[in-house]
């Protein structure tokens, strides 16, 4: 009975801690290397890879919704699925459909904004602590999927079209995250707005870090094996899940 009362005061997503952000960056970097491994190294192509990862994403989201409480392994598996499908979907739109990085980023930014707006109008809040009902969870994961896809397109645009390179783009997005962190500690800005700003920015950071690891040396990367890089990142996440505290966020009232 006491356990049931405790679960009723907790959301089905993790509390926002330093460990959360470290895992998020690792997951987004893994999504880039794993997505590229499927679409490029395995020669599955962007569309086929997107369909595979989208099916995995849908399956895991369904499991998330059916779960009675926060499950760390299930949650982070779903995050990884969003970032892999985000990688291949953005690449499909940008390269196969010819929308381009700027066009893809603009479209995805509009979709992300629409998702957050509809979520707020439908449930009254987009705060992490509000993710308890099935409806809120659906909005949460759709919003995350759009943010992951946007991050891939934005990262590619910054590194390639804007000419920053992978390291330069990483410095830009890392600096932007530092500004968000400073605002969190030094200002009274909305915690919910700062969370989503940081959540969105970690994706292009992970995208350029992933590209830096596996792209050719002539293109500014380290040319590491995509499979090896993905395995190392996945192993690091497994270890981190063991060592870093993982607890459910408190339900927002």
């Amino acid at each position: 009975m006491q356990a049931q009362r405790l679960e009723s005061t907790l959301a089905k997503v993790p509390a926002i801690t330093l460990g959360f952000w470290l895992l998020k960056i690792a997951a987004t970097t893994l999504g880039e290397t794993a997505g590229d491994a499927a679409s490029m190294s395995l020669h599955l192509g962007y569309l086929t890879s997107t369909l595979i990862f989208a099916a995995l994403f849908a399956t895991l989201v369904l499991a998330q919704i059916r779960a009675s409480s926060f499950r760390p392994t299930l949650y982070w598996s779903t995050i990884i699925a969003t970032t892999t499908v985000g990688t291949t979907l953005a690449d499909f739109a940008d390269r196969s459909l010819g929308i381009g990085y700027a066009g893809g980023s603009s479209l995805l930014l509009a979709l992300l904004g629409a998702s957050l707006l509809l979520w707020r109008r439908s449930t009254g809040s987009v705060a992490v602590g509000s993710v308890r009902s099935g409806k809120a969870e659906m909005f949460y994961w759709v919003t995350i999927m759009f943010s992951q896809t946007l991050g891939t397109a934005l990262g590619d645009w910054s590194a390639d079209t804007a000419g920053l390179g992978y390291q330069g783009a990483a410095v830009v997005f890392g600096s932007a995250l530092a500004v968000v962190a400073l605002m969190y500690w030094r200002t009274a800005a909305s915690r919910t707005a700062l969370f989503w700003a940081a959540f969105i920015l970690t994706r292009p950071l992970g995208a350029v870090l992933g590209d830096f690891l596996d792209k050719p040396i002539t293109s500014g990367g380290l040319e590491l094996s995509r499979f090896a890089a993905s395995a190392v990142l996945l192993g690091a996440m497994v270890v981190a899940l063991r060592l870093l505290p993982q607890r459910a966020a408190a339900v927002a009232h």
Side-chain angles (χ1 to χ4, degrees):
M1 196 69 174
Q2 184 177 359
Q4 289 179 339
R5 284 197 299 269
L6 176 61
E7 284 191 357
S8 69
T9 65
L10 299 175
K12 291 172 66 178
V13 296
I16 309 306
T17 62
L18 176 60
F20 173 89
W21 292 117
L22 292 176
L23 282 164
K24 174 61 165 57
I25 293 171
T28 55
T29 308
L30 170 58
E32 189 71 20
T33 57
D36 286 349
S39 62
M40 299 179 193
S41 298
L42 291 179
H43 305 293
L44 295 178
Y46 300 127
L47 179 57
T48 300
S49 298
T50 296
L51 293 174
I52 292 171
F53 290 130
L56 177 61
F57 167 60
T59 301
L60 289 170
V61 167
L62 182 60
Q64 269 282 141
I65 292 174
R66 288 180 173 177
S68 59
S69 60
F70 170 58
R71 301 285 187 266
T73 301
L74 175 59
Y75 176 85
W76 287 107
S77 296
T78 312
I79 287 289
I80 292 171
T82 66
T83 194
T84 49
V85 73
T87 295
T88 56
L89 180 58
D91 287 342
F92 175 71
D94 295 339
R95 300 169 187 174
S96 298
L97 296 182
I99 295 176
Y101 297 136
S105 297
S106 299
L107 174 62
L108 288 161
L109 181 60
L111 290 172
L112 176 61
S115 180
L116 284 167
L117 180 61
L118 289 173
W119 179 5
R120 183 174 178 80
R121 287 187 174 180
S122 180
T123 66
S125 175
V126 296
V128 170
S130 70
V131 184
R132 182 61 186 166
S133 67
K135 178 189 288 187
E137 284 189 89
M138 284 300 298
F139 276 115
Y140 178 82
W141 289 111
V142 168
T143 300
I144 284 179
M145 198 258 300
F146 283 144
S147 77
Q148 305 284 42
T149 310
L150 168 64
T152 300
L154 189 57
D156 288 343
W157 177 84
S158 301
D160 298 333
T161 307
L164 295 176
Y166 304 126
Q167 297 178 57
V171 169
V172 169
F173 292 119
S175 299
L177 279 169
V179 170
V180 173
L182 187 62
M183 290 179 66
Y184 178 85
W185 292 111
R186 296 295 181 87
T187 73
S190 166
R191 276 17 189 181
T192 298
L194 291 176
F195 166 79
W196 283 110
F199 197 96
I200 292 165
L201 285 169
T202 53
R203 179 58 184 116
L205 175 61
V208 294
L209 289 176
D211 282 338
F212 175 66
L213 292 175
D214 65 32
K215 289 298 187 285
I217 293 175
T218 54
S219 299
L222 295 179
E223 205 167 351
L224 301 178
S225 163
R226 294 184 178 109
F227 298 106
S230 298
V232 170
L233 287 164
L234 181 59
M237 287 195 68
V238 171
V239 172
L241 280 170
R242 287 281 187 177
L243 299 179
L244 299 175
Q246 291 286 297
R247 66 180 188 276
V251 170
H253 297 289

